[in-house]
Amino acid sequence: MKIFVVKFGGNAISGKEDMMRLSKEVAELVKKGLKIVLVHGGGPEISAEMEKRGLQPEKVAGLRITDEKVLEVVEEVLGKMNKYVTENLAESDVAAIGMPGYLCTLCKKKEPFTVNDNGKEVTVDLGLVGEVVDVNPDTLLDLLKSKVTPVIYPIGEDDKGNRLNVNADTMAAGIAAGIECEELITITDVPGILLDVKDPNSKVDKLTLDEVDVLISKGVISGGMIPKVEACRSALNAGVKAVRMVNGKDPRSILTDIMKNVPHGTVITK
Ligand SMILES: Nc1ncnc2c1ncn2[C@@H]1O[C@H](COP(=O)(O)OP(=O)(O)O)[C@@H](O)[C@H]1O
Ligand SMILES: [Mg+2]
């Protein structure tokens, strides 16, 4: 079974047109016999809903600070989006089933960590934010064998059943690491890793993890790109053969990627 874990966020796939394009690509791949596990985030939608409810979205190193109130919004918004995604896939004749990450993973709260804030080391506790520690691949493999495409939204649970907000890239990498998968593809709103975020032509085709570290320390890789490259790192270290970032606004982005006919996006290797 050739499995691909494909992650996308609300910036990359925004609106009906993007969603239909992605659904059609998935449909084509599934018809060819490839197995796809979809993981989606919902950053912009969550921030918008938080603001509507008078909550201030706050992120550190690309991760959302999450308390009980924020978690409630996150779960609600992601749950709704999950339904929307599976409905759209169904319209393209893809048998899809939506589920939260806690049905196939075990997570734990992310430990407080230090960040450099204007030259000062500060410790940050993100609150109810989780990391994947284990995956139960059986449910996913059974679904894939039955030609059903799992669509996962990144709400995790710890071993006591406490819900945790997990960054979608982190969830996708955790799942990719836990099932034997060919490639982790993250669809985002930039063409790949850029040497200058404002210049789409500054994309790097290939990077090693050491080169990634240099770019992080120089501040070239920042914000939401940090959890993305860290997700790539953990997937590669867990034995996933290839990880790649592509632009969701690029027509046929995942098809091009999986067929590998043309250089595409940024590929990260060990
Ligand atoms: N070096 C970089 N190259 C590309 N994007 C970067 C870089 N550094 C920071 N970013 C930011 O990371 C963003 C992608 O992460 P994020 O906003 O979390 O999107 P997603 O919804 O795809 O996870 C880009 O839109 C860009 O603003
Ligand atoms: Mg992100």
Side-chain angles (χ1 to χ4, degrees), residues 253-267:
S253 52
I254 51 168
L255 279 179
T256 316
D257 185 23
I258 288 176
M259 299 316 161
K260 291 198 181 76
N261 292 327
V262 267
H264 195 223
T266 298
V267 177

Side-chain angles (χ1 to χ4, degrees), residues 133-147:
V133 287
D134 201 12
V135 178
N136 177 0
D138 296 347
T139 319
L140 296 176
L141 295 176
D142 284 349
L143 289 171
L144 294 171
K145 272 180 207 146
S146 325
K147 298 192 169 62

Side-chain angles (χ1 to χ4, degrees), residues 175-187:
I175 291 172
I179 56 176
E180 268 181 44
C181 96
E182 300 290 315
E183 190 164 325
L184 167 66
I185 302 165
T186 61
I187 305 177

Side-chain angles (χ1 to χ4, degrees), residues 22-189:
L22 178 71
S23 304
K24 285 194 183 115
E25 285 193 64
V26 172
E28 243 179 274
L29 292 166
V30 169
K31 259 189 215 128
K32 286 194 167 88
L34 295 176
K35 306 294 184 190
I36 296 190
V37 176
L38 280 173
V39 180
H40 69 84
E45 292 83 353
I46 291 164
S47 294
E49 186 60 30
M50 280 178 64
E51 274 163 15
K52 242 193 229 172
R53 299 189 197 183
L55 299 166
Q56 184 61 44
E58 225 183 314
K59 289 187 180 181
V60 179
L63 299 170
R64 190 183 301 281
I65 297 179
T66 308
D67 62 10
E68 295 280 353
K69 270 192 187 151
V70 175
L71 185 65
E72 204 181 294
V73 180
V74 173
E75 264 202 87
E76 200 182 306
V77 173
L78 287 176
K80 270 191 201 149
M81 287 181 67
N82 190 259
K83 193 159 171 278
Y84 177 72
V85 175
T86 49
E87 281 168 3
N88 273 277
L89 286 164
E91 275 179 41
S92 297
D93 294 325
V94 178
I97 185 160
M99 66 170 102
Y102 55 78
L103 289 187
C104 55
T105 64
L106 176 68
C107 294
K108 76 166 173 35
K109 179 181 149 42
K110 188 172 165 61
E111 297 293 335
F113 58 99
T114 55
V115 288
N116 192 308
D117 182 16
N118 286 324
K120 226 174 48 191
E121 294 279 302
V122 285
T123 303
V124 186
D125 186 342
L126 293 171
L128 304 173
V129 169
E131 289 173 335
V132 181
V133 287
D134 201 12
V135 178
N136 177 0
D138 296 347
T139 319
L140 296 176
L141 295 176
D142 284 349
L143 289 171
L144 294 171
K145 272 180 207 146
S146 325
K147 298 192 169 62
V148 176
T149 299
V151 184
I152 297 160
Y153 64 98
I155 294 289
E157 254 179 27
D158 68 12
D159 54 2
K160 294 187 183 68
N162 300 307
R163 296 277 157 88
L164 296 164
N165 179 18
V166 182
N167 173 275
D169 291 302
T170 310
M171 177 61 78
I175 291 172
I179 56 176
E180 268 181 44
C181 96
E182 300 290 315
E183 190 164 325
L184 167 66
I185 302 165
T186 61
I187 305 177
T188 180
D189 61 348

Side-chain angles (χ1 to χ4, degrees), residues 59-63 167 169 197 219-229:
K59 289 187 180 181
V60 179
L63 299 170
N167 173 275
D169 291 302
V197 187
V220 173
I221 291 178
S222 64
M225 195 45 81
I226 295 177
K228 230 177 271 300
V229 294

